[in-house]
Amino acid sequence: MKYFKYYLLAIAMIILDQVVKLAVHFNMEMGVAGQIYLLGDVFKLHYLTNPGMAFGMQLGSENGKLILTVIRLIAMVVIAVYLYRLAKKEVHTGLLWCGALILGGAIGNLIDSIFYGVFLNNAPYDAPNPWFHGQVIDMFYIDIWEGRIPEWVPLFGGDYTALWPVFNVADASIFVGVAIIIIFQKSFFKEAEHEEDDAIEASPSIAEHTPSDDDETRNAQSVG
């Protein structure tokens, strides 16, 4: 039970993420028409749906969304188990809290993918079925720059886009968790490195365990 506090943070992020998404869905119009300015032209609420993964990228097949959702489901299980194992090893608590943020964010977006196509009817029109084909709801928009990308840019040339993507609470939770791990990685993983060094220093060397030829000769002479 002492590890439950980390999962409790993940649950809190899931609840917050879903509350915000549902509030946006039921109270805002999609796109520019329903846009709400929070901090001038820089920070806005902008309701849109994302059928794929980060930056709207998709797997190019009929079952691409299903495959992506299954991958998210597997990743969620892996993260949850890994978080428990890290907690049992008593690693730096900061790493565990970051893991909880990442787990909560992953589950938050997974809920959209699994259920929103059915309960919010937001699956793409060409989806084989609504289950596992729900679109993720995004709403936070930091408007740094938007416009048409030059044609010569690979992959995205000619697209009208924004410099900063629209994101949600789950995305922010994942981003913060990963960013903190990267920034404080030396502190988070220092204890593990010290434990390995101590283990190496404490273990006897091979030379101490392996008898030398001189030792075997002396032992033979003493027996004779």
Side-chain angles (χ1 to χ4, degrees):
M1 291 297 294
K2 66 179 181 179
Y3 309 134
F4 182 71
K5 59 186 178 182
Y6 303 112
Y7 293 101
L8 192 61
L9 174 60
I11 293 172
M13 296 309 302
I14 295 168
I15 294 174
L16 176 60
D17 176 64
Q18 291 300 307
V19 167
V20 173
K21 287 174 177 174
L22 294 176
V24 166
H25 175 76
F26 289 110
N27 295 282
M28 288 183 63
E29 294 184 43
M30 294 188 67
V32 177
Q35 194 166 258
I36 298 175
Y37 294 84
L38 299 178
L39 189 62
D41 293 330
V42 177
F43 185 45
K44 315 169 186 175
L45 286 182
H46 184 99
Y47 176 20
L48 60 77
T49 54
N50 181 359
M53 43 189 161
F55 303 102
M57 293 184 290
Q58 305 179 53
L59 298 179
S61 69
E62 180 180 353
N63 295 314
K65 177 63 177 181
L66 177 60
I67 295 172
L68 176 60
T69 303
V70 172
I71 291 174
R72 282 174 169 167
L73 181 59
I74 295 173
M76 178 203 70
V77 175
V78 171
I79 295 172
V81 173
Y82 187 58
L83 179 62
Y84 176 73
R85 291 183 176 179
L86 286 177
K88 288 191 68 175
K89 290 182 179 179
E90 297 184 353
V91 300
H92 196 291
T93 56
L95 179 60
L96 298 177
W97 289 118
C98 289
L101 288 174
I102 296 172
L103 177 62
I107 296 176
N109 283 334
L110 180 65
I111 291 173
D112 298 27
S113 298
I114 295 176
F115 300 108
Y116 278 13
V118 177
F119 296 109
L120 299 186
N121 193 30
N122 78 348
Y125 71 92
D126 57 347
N129 64 80
W131 288 105
F132 287 85
H133 287 84
Q135 300 189 75
V136 175
I137 293 178
D138 294 326
M139 73 291 296
F140 297 121
Y141 181 19
I142 300 176
D143 191 358
I144 299 175
W145 174 87
E146 61 179 307
R148 191 168 300 279
I149 301 177
E151 295 288 345
W152 53 266
V153 176
L155 299 178
F156 304 104
D159 292 345
Y160 188 88
T161 188
L163 180 61
W164 192 271
V166 184
F167 60 98
N168 56 42
V169 174
D171 297 331
S173 183
I174 294 173
F175 177 81
V176 170
V178 173
I180 294 177
I181 290 175
I182 293 174
I183 295 172
F184 296 100
Q185 57 180 310
K186 290 186 177 180
S187 299
F188 289 170
F189 297 105
K190 180 172 61 177
E191 295 178 4
E193 293 176 357
H194 285 331
E195 289 178 1
E196 292 180 2
D197 293 340
D198 293 341
I200 294 174
E201 292 176 0
S203 61
S205 65
I206 296 177
E208 292 175 341
H209 280 286
T210 305
S212 63
D213 294 338
D214 293 339
D215 292 336
E216 291 180 355
T217 302
R218 285 195 292 271
N219 291 336
Q221 292 175 351
S222 61
V223 172

